[in-house]
Amino acid sequence: MNFLAHLHLADISGTSLAANLAGDFAKGPVERFPKALQQGLWLHRQIDKITDEHEIFKETLGKFPKHLSRAAPILIDLGFDHRLARDWEEYHHQPLAEFCRLAYSRLLECQELPEKLAAIAPKMQAEDWFGSYVHRQGINAAINGVRSRLSHPEIFNGAEEAIEKLDVELEIAFRTLYPQLMAYARRLARTTPEQYL
């Protein structure tokens, strides 16, 4: 899952938005991080594990061209965020713009964020990264952002075209898998190991 999905799953599970988003920036054992982040980091990792092991996710990976095999997991995550943003009213009672404002606010208020996330949080807000996923241009900008941070950016050659071509397949995968992840997130929040609470 990408940023918007992790934020949404955090919200519906009643866990910390900032901590769940921090999962992409926090490496190493959960115990190494401040207590305020631990449940969200643990939940983020559980959601990623369930997603990566799900048959629908694996089938969708196989639909990408071979030269994009290393980029495909990230592209699926971005494609899912695009679909969630486009159909937001089906999954959340709050308007997307209002939810995004809340998410940015929670990020900027959190004093325990990993350094890399704390450094880019103001840029996320200024450029409305989460809200931009509703548009194809926003997803393409996110792809370019990932590409620019890689030592081998060529693994994303043709990514924009591929994700657009597979739009229907990504929608089917999203609509099949995401409701299950919503149910998992709620259950996991209730069954978080005590040491992370």
Side-chain angles (χ1 to χ4, degrees), residues 15 24 31 49 58 69 72 76-77 94 109 113 117 128 142 145 162 168 175 184 191:
T15 58
D24 282 325
E31 295 80 5
K49 185 173 186 290
K58 292 177 182 176
S69 59
I76 293 173
D77 287 350
Q94 235 176 345
E109 289 166 3
L113 292 181
L117 178 54
D128 189 19
V168 172
R175 287 187 173 276
Y184 275 119
T191 58

Side-chain angles (χ1 to χ4, degrees), residues 45-185:
R45 292 177 184 184
Q46 296 303 308
I47 291 295
D48 280 354
K49 185 173 186 290
I50 291 164
T51 303
D52 292 346
E53 293 175 356
H54 201 286
E55 197 56 42
I56 291 289
F57 189 83
K58 292 177 182 176
E59 283 176 18
T60 309
L61 284 175
K63 293 177 180 177
F64 281 83
K66 189 167 282 188
H67 74 276
L68 284 169
S69 59
R70 288 171 64 194
I74 297 168
L75 295 175
I76 293 173
D77 287 350
L78 290 170
F80 279 13
D81 263 14
H82 177 54
R83 183 54 56 187
L84 177 59
R86 282 187 57 184
D87 298 331
W88 180 260
E89 67 281 354
E90 295 181 34
Y91 297 95
H92 203 281
H93 66 280
Q94 235 176 345
L96 178 59
E98 190 178 314
F99 178 82
C100 291
R101 283 194 295 274
L102 172 68
Y104 297 130
S105 173
R106 295 287 167 79
L107 275 180
L108 295 171
E109 289 166 3
C110 183
Q111 301 299 308
E112 297 92 354
L113 292 181
E115 193 175 311
K116 285 185 179 177
L117 178 54
I120 65 167
K123 185 177 182 178
M124 287 177 159
Q125 181 186 41
E127 298 177 3
D128 189 19
W129 285 18
F130 313 143
S132 73
Y133 296 143
V134 75
H135 305 293
R136 181 67 58 190
Q137 304 96 299
I139 293 300
N140 289 345
I143 291 170
N144 279 324
V146 175
R147 183 188 279 124
S148 70
R149 294 190 294 273
L150 297 176
S151 55
H152 295 285
E154 67 277 3
I155 70 167
F156 275 82
N157 287 350
E160 292 88 347
E161 295 82 1
I163 202 171
E164 187 166 1
K165 187 175 180 183
L166 290 169
D167 188 59
V168 172
E169 289 84 351
L170 286 166
E171 178 177 4
I172 292 167
F174 174 78
R175 287 187 173 276
T176 304
L177 177 55
Y178 198 69
Q180 296 177 43
L181 294 177
M182 290 170 67
Y184 275 119

Side-chain angles (χ1 to χ4, degrees), residues 5-7 9-11 13-26 30-31 33-48 110 113-114 117 185 188-189 192-193 195-197:
H6 275 297
L7 289 166
L9 293 172
D11 188 63
S13 66
T15 58
S16 166
L17 274 69
N20 275 272
L21 193 67
D24 282 325
F25 300 84
V30 170
E31 295 80 5
F33 295 92
K35 199 70 176 174
L37 298 181
Q38 289 183 9
Q39 181 182 27
L41 296 179
W42 179 81
L43 183 63
H44 180 115
R45 292 177 184 184
Q46 296 303 308
I47 291 295
D48 280 354
C110 183
L113 292 181
L117 178 54
L188 288 165
T192 304
Q195 67 264 32
Y196 302 140
L197 295 173

